[in-house]
């Protein structure tokens, strides 16, 4: 599991930072990539990475401001043109379907894959046997959502040495034992599979928030997450501007991380007023309150290790 930042700027593209898009790489977990937001030129950014558009399985849109959605029509069309034929689902606030339909219709874009658009409300918006995604509305003046991506716990590892010590040889029976079932051996002995499986492997939690002022929903979504991705559009001294424009400061992002008990905070969505070394001041301000903070740049990647 890896976070790859394709765009870390706010509002408009800048020389150092493109507008918002984050890829959650789940190649080992499901052979897929999930995108969070798709600002202008996201597909150009993808060209500089190992991401394959046909492997993009889900796109989660936090809100409908242009710097988070203007890259969608181009990416959807190129995915089809490049031979992508697997289904793709887009989750986003009310209005995202109209935006996509009009963009594709006016440009006469025809997709060769099944595209599903889900207009979301608060609650669980995605769930399968491996993951679930919970959405909550934030405070940004327009509907803006944060997403809590939860990897479900994995079964414990099979204690093979313990089985071999009893003379139980590898075969189909191992699968039954791994499932924790009661199994009768050839000699009539009955064993409980649960005695031969280690403790469950705890799943990981990644919280990715859209644009927002400080709000309780941010803390709830981030509770004990392995990683919190939070906007830091403004520095602490510009907190009045942050409030007026429905954004957060780096310090407010750190406050959310501390209150939620997260393991690591990653700052993104940096205003172009903080170029070069000025952006490092945002990082320093956040670290004073929450030391395990990182500042994302375009193409920054962060591995999210499995819990031990």
């Amino acid at each position: 599991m890896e976070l790859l930042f394709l765009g870390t700027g706010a509002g408009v593209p800048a020389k150092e930072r493109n507008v918002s898009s984050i890829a959650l790489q789940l190649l080992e977990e499901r052979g897929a990539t999930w995108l969070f937001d798709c600002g202008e030129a996201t597909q150009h950014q993808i060209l500089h990475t190992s991401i394959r558009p046909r492997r993009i399985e889900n796109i989660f849109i936090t809100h409908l401001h242009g710097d988070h959605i203007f890259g969608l029509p181009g990416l959807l069309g190129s995915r089809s043109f490049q031979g992508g034929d697997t289904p793709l689902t887009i989750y986003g606030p009310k209005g995202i379907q109209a935006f996509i339909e009009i963009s594709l219709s006016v440009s006469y874009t025809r997709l060769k894959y099944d595209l599903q658009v889900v207009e979301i409300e608060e609650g669980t918006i995605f769930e399968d046997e491996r993951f679930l995604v919970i959405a909550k509305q934030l405070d940004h003046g327009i509907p803006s959502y944060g997403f809590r991506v939860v990897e479900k716990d994995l079964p414990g590892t099979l204690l093979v040495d313990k089985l071999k010590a009893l003379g139980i040889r590898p075969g189909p029976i191992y699968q039954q034992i791994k499932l924790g079932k009661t199994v009768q051996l050839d000699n009539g002995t009955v064993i409980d599979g649960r005695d031969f499986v280690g403790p469950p492997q705890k799943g990981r939690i990644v919280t990715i928030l859209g644009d927002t002022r400080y709000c309780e929903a941010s803390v709830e979504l981030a509770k004990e997450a392995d990683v919190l991705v939070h906007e830091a559009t403004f520095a602490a001294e510009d907190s009045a501007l942050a409030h007026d424009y429905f954004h957060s400061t780096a310090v407010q992002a750190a406050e959310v991380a501390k209150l939620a008990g997260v393991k690591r905070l990653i700052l993104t969505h940096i205003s172009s007023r903080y170029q070069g070394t000025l952006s490092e001041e945002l990082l320093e301000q956040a670290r004073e309150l929450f030391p395990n903070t990182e500042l994302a740049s375009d193409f920054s990647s962060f591995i999210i290790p499995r819990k031990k």
Side-chain angles (χ1 to χ4, degrees):
M1 186 183 287
E2 175 190 10
L3 281 169
L4 176 56
F5 286 78
L6 300 171
T8 57
V12 296
K15 290 182 178 180
E16 293 183 359
R17 297 178 183 274
N18 196 47
V19 286
S20 294
S21 187
I22 304 169
L24 179 60
Q25 296 277 62
L26 301 171
L27 302 181
E28 291 184 9
E29 292 77 10
R30 59 194 302 122
T33 298
W34 290 1
L35 279 190
F36 291 80
D37 287 333
C38 189
E40 178 184 347
T42 291
Q43 67 170 320
H44 290 253
Q45 300 290 84
I46 286 175
L47 292 175
H48 300 284
T49 73
S50 61
I51 294 172
R52 298 179 181 179
R54 68 175 182 269
R55 281 191 168 177
I56 298 173
E57 176 187 37
N58 294 317
I59 301 177
F60 299 88
I61 300 297
T62 61
H63 65 292
L64 300 185
H65 278 153
D67 57 322
H68 294 255
I69 64 170
F70 283 165
L72 265 177
L75 177 61
L76 296 178
S78 294
R79 185 180 188 268
S80 183
F81 187 78
Q82 294 167 1
D85 57 6
T86 54
L88 172 64
T89 303
I90 298 174
Y91 300 84
K94 185 176 181 181
I96 188 64
Q97 183 160 353
F99 170 74
I100 293 169
E101 288 179 350
I102 292 170
S103 299
L104 298 182
S105 174
V106 169
S107 61
Y108 295 94
T109 302
R110 301 289 180 264
L111 304 182
K112 298 177 183 177
Y113 54 86
D114 179 43
L115 176 65
Q116 182 179 6
V117 181
V118 179
E119 295 193 331
I120 63 174
E121 296 180 347
E122 290 190 322
T124 299
I125 61 171
F126 172 89
E127 184 170 11
D128 64 8
E129 69 280 356
R130 290 294 302 275
F131 287 89
L132 67 87
V133 180
I134 299 167
K136 276 186 174 291
Q137 194 160 326
L138 306 174
D139 183 7
H140 190 50
I142 68 169
S144 180
Y145 287 88
F147 302 108
R148 179 179 175 90
V149 181
V150 180
E151 179 187 35
K152 296 181 179 179
D153 293 349
L154 295 175
T157 56
L158 190 65
L159 304 178
V160 175
D161 290 343
K162 189 175 179 181
L163 289 169
K164 288 182 176 179
L166 292 178
I168 304 172
R169 304 172 73 178
I173 193 173
Y174 272 28
Q175 183 61 33
Q176 299 299 309
I177 295 170
K178 186 172 175 61
L179 293 173
K181 294 184 177 181
T182 300
V183 176
Q184 183 173 359
L185 306 179
D186 291 341
N187 62 9
T189 303
V190 176
I191 63 171
D192 186 341
R194 293 173 296 181
D195 296 334
F196 298 88
V197 178
Q201 300 177 57
K202 193 70 176 172
R204 293 158 287 188
I205 300 173
V206 180
T207 298
I208 299 174
L209 303 182
D211 295 3
T212 186
R213 289 172 175 167
Y214 171 85
C215 64
E216 288 300 317
S218 298
V219 179
E220 293 171 10
L221 285 169
K223 195 71 173 174
E224 298 181 350
D226 293 272
V227 177
L228 166 63
V229 179
H230 198 298
E231 68 131 291
T233 310
F234 292 99
E237 58 269 24
D238 295 319
S239 59
L241 275 176
H243 184 270
D244 290 345
Y245 288 100
F246 290 88
H247 282 292
S248 296
T249 66
V251 172
Q252 288 169 334
E255 289 173 351
V256 171
K258 186 174 183 179
L259 286 171
V262 308
K263 291 183 174 61
R264 179 163 52 163
L265 169 65
I266 303 175
L267 303 178
T268 188
H269 201 269
I270 310 302
S271 170
S272 59
R273 70 180 60 207
Y274 308 108
Q275 299 274 3
T277 57
L278 289 178
S279 64
E280 293 298 319
E281 294 180 14
L282 301 178
L283 179 60
E284 292 172 8
Q285 290 178 0
R287 282 181 171 172
E288 287 180 8
L289 184 61
F290 191 82
N292 197 16
T293 301
E294 304 286 348
L295 177 66
S297 300
D298 287 15
F299 307 115
S300 293
S301 66
F302 301 88
I303 300 296
I304 306 169
R306 191 173 297 284
K307 298 177 181 179
K308 297 181 179 178

